[in-house]
Amino acid sequence: MPVFPHRICSWIFIAVLISCLNIQMAFSAPANEALQYTWKTLIDPSGEKKINEIRLKEHLFKAASSNAFGYQPGAVWIRMEIVRKPEQAAHWWLELQSPMLDLATLYEQDASGRLLIRKMGDHIPMSDHEIDYRNAVFRMNIPANKPYIIYLRLQSQNTLTITPVFFSYKSLITSIATEQIFFGALASVYFALLLNGFWLYRASSDRSYSWFALYALSNLIVMLGSEGYIYQYLLGDYSDLNEIILIVSIYFSVPIGGQLLLYYLEIQSKVFWRIVQLDWFFSTLAVTLLFQADQQWIRPAFQAWILLNMLFGTVFVYTMRNKNKMALRILLALLPFWLAVALRSLRNVALLPSNIVTDNTYYLGMALYMLALNYAVSIKIKTLREAHDHAQAEALRLAKKNEHELEEQVIQRTVQLQQAVRRVEASLQIERRAQAEQREFFATVSHELRTPLTVIDMTAQNLELDATELDTETRNRYSKILQATNRLSLLLDRYLNEDSFTLMRRGVQYRQCNLHMMLEDAARSASILSSAHQFILQLDLLPENIVCDPDLMLLVLRSLADNAVKYTPPESTILFTGSAAGDHINIFIRDNGPGMSAETLARVFEPHFRGANSTGKPGSGLGLMLARKLMENQGGRLEIDSLEGKGCRIHLCLPLHIAAVADISPA
């Protein structure tokens, strides 16, 4: 598993420190103090005052005691009085160092006394700025040897901190370049940590690394958004989207940080889990209230919630220091980070001024905290690797220890398997002998049945030939004898031969069959048993061709038709009907006989069970049981409904097997 080297972390941290020194030098550059000016402020809570009113109330302006105004509703007016010496350049750049400033309006008079108005800020498209830069910058031509007065109207929904600084062109370029070095170094730290967390998550699938990467990403967006770089380089013409991205990143970085600690320290405390769940809830609620209901009080309230979270998290990690070694390392980085968050929050609510410390300590503290977390990641991975190596060594030792035992077990099992094989072979020999005896028995039975059956058939044929002058009823009897002998011969040919035994061993043989012909055959075969019964076939709703095993299906239909004749009185009606429903076909055989009692119906499928009305009728009580079994073998079912005195209905349900028709030869 790849580990982010500790030495790289050290070099990154050194780069951050060097960048801090660079930006400190840039902010304290002598060029920034060369132009003399004083500035006073006036708060306009309603934000409705115009420049003409403001110029008449100059006595209300007060000397600026701080450059942080907090979450200020309305607008803040600044009156600046500038004095330029003759030897100084006439052209200057006024930078308002406040990247989150929504709108800055500059009012000044030209040489003719005409009022000039210019507007900057992150709610103004970047294409309308005088220079392509994250802060509001105004180019000014200042006269010499006399006070030059300008007015600035500032407005922002975010915390309002303002530091007006005058630059010459050269010093402005130097300041911008130095700031980019500082924030570029910070961004590289966050980006490197983001990649490292993502890489570790891909390598280990450990959730703590995914939350680490997400936390680094959210803080990277917070830094770039708060300092105006997203607005400057990506969303210069979409200021509303810039505000949404920034707020979402700030507010959801709190629960993301909580989730990171949960998985990082493997915290099982229900209290901490509840706090993180509250963070998700309050962050979602705060974002919703800000963008849907425009509730600006959420901004300072959420600052307080962040401080409470940091305090609770620090105390909780402190309580874990003895149980979890990693907690102590994180605590050492969490304390300065908490201090940095506190300084930034106090600046946001105007309890501290905006300066190099309150503006940038948060980013440095966050970078230090993330580096400490990354170091803890490396230690955790090192521990896991050592545990993995130890486990591998232990597994190898156990493998060697068990190798001899496994060999002995293999020998024992081999002997047992050889004995089992011999027993199986003996059982197979017995089964083969039983099958041979069974085939011989059925062949003998078939032969013994064919001899008297041939005699009966020949006698019946002779009787039928000699009965030309006899009455019709006698000739019909001879014809039924011939039909019965033909049916018995067909049964012997189909089911008492070697091919039939092979077929039954193979199981069900599906083919495309003519259902109408099979139903007509069943009715015709059953009519031999009684000439007084009436058979009705209503087959219009049944498909002519279906897929089934024709031999099994014929046995089922003939057995059920024979039962309908045997157990109903003469003159009864037997109806064959049915229909296709979805992917099944339903076949019904109804009679208007005496029906069955509830007790008989409950036992009708029991082997060898025969009802009270079966006295004197041939049969063994196996027909219905075998018919249902043959239907189930084909994936269907057989059900019987009957009420005593109201006949009987047999329901056959069989799947259509539509998908298999193309691969099945017709019967």
Side-chain angles (χ1 to χ4, degrees):
M1 183 185 299
V3 181
F4 200 78
H6 302 168
R7 184 173 297 178
I8 294 180
C9 297
S10 302
W11 282 111
I12 292 176
F13 187 57
I14 291 172
V16 173
L17 293 178
I18 294 174
S19 300
C20 293
L21 295 176
N22 287 336
I23 193 169
Q24 186 175 10
M25 294 173 60
F27 276 123
S28 60
N32 294 351
E33 301 177 357
L35 196 64
Q36 295 181 358
Y37 65 91
T38 58
W39 59 299
K40 298 180 180 181
T41 61
L42 173 65
I43 305 299
D44 177 16
S46 66
E48 296 179 355
K49 289 183 171 57
K50 306 299 181 183
I51 182 61
N52 294 331
E53 298 180 61
I54 293 299
R55 294 174 69 179
L56 296 175
K57 296 180 179 181
E58 292 191 2
H59 60 284
L60 297 179
F61 279 87
K62 297 179 180 180
S65 58
S66 173
N67 59 354
F69 299 93
Y71 295 95
Q72 182 63 52
V76 174
W77 288 85
I78 293 179
R79 180 182 183 276
M80 298 189 67
E81 186 172 321
I82 310 163
V83 177
R84 180 179 70 83
K85 298 177 182 179
E87 62 272 16
Q88 293 177 318
H91 297 291
W92 290 83
W93 296 87
L94 171 60
E95 178 186 355
L96 303 179
Q97 295 181 346
S98 179
M100 299 177 69
L101 187 61
D102 291 347
L103 184 62
T105 306
L106 174 68
Y107 300 91
E108 63 177 338
Q109 287 183 330
D110 60 9
S112 64
R114 185 180 58 178
L115 185 64
L116 301 178
I117 302 175
R118 286 182 284 171
K119 295 183 178 182
M120 300 288 174
D122 65 8
H123 280 199
I124 301 296
M126 184 61 70
S127 57
D128 294 339
H129 284 217
E130 295 185 13
I131 63 171
D132 188 4
Y133 186 50
R134 63 192 180 97
N135 288 329
V137 177
F138 298 93
R139 187 175 186 276
M140 302 186 66
N141 187 11
I142 302 174
N145 290 332
K146 63 177 182 178
Y148 186 70
I149 299 174
I150 62 172
Y151 292 89
L152 289 168
R153 183 183 183 276
L154 310 178
Q155 192 173 2
S156 180
Q157 292 180 335
N158 299 294
T159 180
L160 182 57
T161 60
I162 188 68
T163 302
V165 182
F166 284 94
F167 289 98
S168 64
Y169 179 77
K170 182 178 179 180
S171 62
L172 176 63
I173 297 301
T174 302
S175 174
I176 293 175
T178 308
E179 288 177 358
Q180 290 180 335
I181 292 174
F182 171 69
F183 288 110
L186 277 180
S188 66
V189 172
Y190 289 126
F191 191 70
L193 294 175
L194 167 64
L195 291 179
N196 186 51
F198 176 74
W199 186 269
L200 290 174
Y201 173 69
R202 289 294 302 273
S204 66
S205 298
D206 190 332
R207 287 187 182 183
S208 60
Y209 304 137
S210 64
W211 286 110
F212 179 84
L214 190 60
Y215 194 51
L217 175 63
S218 65
N219 282 282
L220 175 62
I221 295 175
V222 168
M223 185 197 73
L224 296 178
S226 299
E227 295 304 320
Y229 287 105
I230 293 180
Y231 165 68
Q232 179 181 352
Y233 291 110
L234 299 177
L235 303 173
D237 293 330
Y238 303 95
S239 56
D240 292 339
L241 185 57
N242 177 70
E243 180 79 7
I244 293 174
I245 292 175
L246 178 59
I247 291 298
V248 170
S249 300
I250 292 175
Y251 285 26
F252 282 103
S253 64
V254 176
I256 291 174
Q259 291 283 164
L260 173 59
L261 286 179
L262 281 176
Y263 286 103
Y264 225 55
L265 299 179
E266 299 177 352
I267 297 173
Q268 304 297 327
S269 170
K270 292 183 179 179
V271 176
F272 199 91
W273 277 93
R274 291 287 183 270
I275 293 297
V276 174
Q277 289 174 351
L278 281 176
D279 285 339
W280 284 107
F281 172 75
F282 285 138
S283 296
T284 304
L285 180 63
V287 170
T288 303
L289 289 175
L290 269 178
F291 293 120
Q292 297 296 327
D294 195 25
Q295 298 294 313
Q296 296 301 319
W297 59 269
I298 290 294
R299 298 175 188 267
F302 200 80
Q303 293 291 325
W305 178 252
I306 291 176
L307 291 176
L308 287 175
N309 265 271
M310 292 297 300
L311 180 60
F312 175 79
T314 303
V315 172
F316 190 86
V317 174
Y318 177 77
T319 61
M320 295 183 61
R321 68 191 187 282
N322 295 326
K323 300 179 182 178
N324 193 323
K325 294 181 180 180
M326 198 182 301
L328 184 59
R329 300 187 186 100
I330 293 177
L331 182 64
L332 294 176
L334 197 59
L335 289 174
F337 176 52
W338 185 87
L339 178 61
V341 172
L343 290 175
R344 183 63 174 254
S345 298
L346 293 175
R347 187 215 71 171
N348 288 346
V349 296
L351 294 179
L352 288 178
S354 171
N355 53 45
I356 189 174
V357 176
T358 57
D359 288 348
N360 300 292
T361 303
Y362 170 79
Y363 303 129
L364 297 175
M366 174 58 70
L368 177 63
Y369 177 53
M370 294 295 294
L371 287 169
L373 288 178
N374 189 75
Y375 178 78
V377 167
S378 303
I379 297 299
K380 182 178 180 181
I381 295 175
K382 180 181 178 182
T383 304
L384 291 175
R385 178 178 291 173
E386 291 175 351
H388 180 264
D389 293 341
H390 177 72
Q392 281 188 331
E394 183 68 15
L396 182 61
R397 185 185 67 82
L398 292 175
K400 291 180 179 179
K401 178 182 177 181
N402 295 330
E403 184 176 357
H404 181 67
E405 297 178 1
L406 289 174
E407 290 178 354
E408 293 181 352
Q409 291 179 3
V410 168
I411 294 173
Q412 294 176 0
R413 293 292 176 85
T414 302
V415 173
Q416 294 174 358
L417 287 174
Q418 290 173 348
Q419 295 174 351
V421 168
R422 287 194 291 268
R423 289 195 295 269
V424 170
E425 289 178 349
S427 299
L428 289 175
Q429 284 292 109
I430 295 173
E431 183 181 356
R432 283 193 287 268
R433 284 198 299 270
Q435 289 178 354
E437 292 173 357
Q438 185 183 42
R439 287 196 296 271
E440 184 178 354
F441 170 76
F442 279 110
T444 302
V445 170
S446 176
H447 175 72
E448 294 299 325
L449 286 175
R450 288 179 189 278
T451 300
L453 186 61
T454 303
V455 174
I456 294 171
D457 183 61
M458 292 177 63
T459 302
Q461 290 182 32
N462 291 330
L463 289 174
E464 187 180 31
L465 290 173
D466 296 337
T468 54
E469 298 179 356
L470 296 180
D471 57 280
T472 303
E473 184 177 355
T474 302
R475 289 198 302 273
N476 288 339
R477 288 175 182 174
Y478 294 158
S479 177
K480 286 184 178 181
I481 294 173
L482 287 173
Q483 292 177 19
T485 57
N486 287 334
R487 180 175 174 181
L488 284 173
S489 296
L490 182 62
L491 287 173
L492 292 175
D493 292 338
R494 285 190 174 182
Y495 304 112
L496 292 181
N497 57 60
E498 180 61 26
D499 292 338
S500 296
F501 296 140
T502 305
L503 175 65
M504 296 304 291
R505 287 196 295 271
R506 285 203 307 265
V508 180
Q509 301 293 309
Y510 289 109
R511 286 184 289 171
Q512 193 175 74
C513 310
N514 191 310
L515 177 60
H516 291 191
M517 291 179 63
M518 288 192 291
L519 291 170
E520 292 169 357
D521 177 84
R524 185 167 53 253
S525 298
S527 65
I528 299 174
L529 302 178
S530 173
S531 59
H533 285 73
Q534 182 182 6
F535 291 88
I536 301 175
L537 281 76
Q538 296 179 353
L539 310 180
D540 295 341
L541 299 180
L542 284 170
E544 183 173 0
N545 294 312
I546 64 170
V547 175
C548 67
D549 187 314
D551 295 326
L552 300 184
M553 199 63 189
L554 272 174
L555 279 176
V556 171
L557 294 174
R558 286 177 176 177
S559 177
L560 296 176
D562 289 352
N563 276 2
V565 172
K566 286 195 297 183
Y567 296 107
T568 58
E571 308 299 332
S572 297
T573 300
I574 301 172
L575 173 65
F576 291 79
T577 184
S579 63
D583 57 352
H584 286 75
I585 180 173
N586 298 306
I587 303 171
F588 299 99
I589 302 176
R590 294 187 176 92
D591 64 64
N592 58 353
M596 290 183 281
S597 65
E599 180 182 356
T600 302
L601 185 62
R603 302 183 58 191
V604 73
F605 291 109
E606 293 182 10
H608 303 292
F609 172 77
R610 305 191 73 196
N613 63 343
S614 61
T615 305
K617 296 182 175 64
S620 60
L622 295 174
L624 288 176
M625 182 200 73
L626 291 175
R628 185 170 69 170
K629 182 65 177 176
L630 294 176
M631 287 297 298
E632 290 174 350
N633 289 347
Q634 299 179 83
R637 66 181 189 274
L638 187 154
E639 299 171 348
I640 298 179
D641 298 326
S642 181
L643 291 175
E644 194 168 4
K646 295 187 177 181
C648 182
R649 187 190 76 160
I650 299 176
H651 176 203
L652 302 175
C653 182
L654 192 68
L656 285 173
H657 296 284
I658 299 300
V661 171
D663 301 325
I664 297 175
S665 59

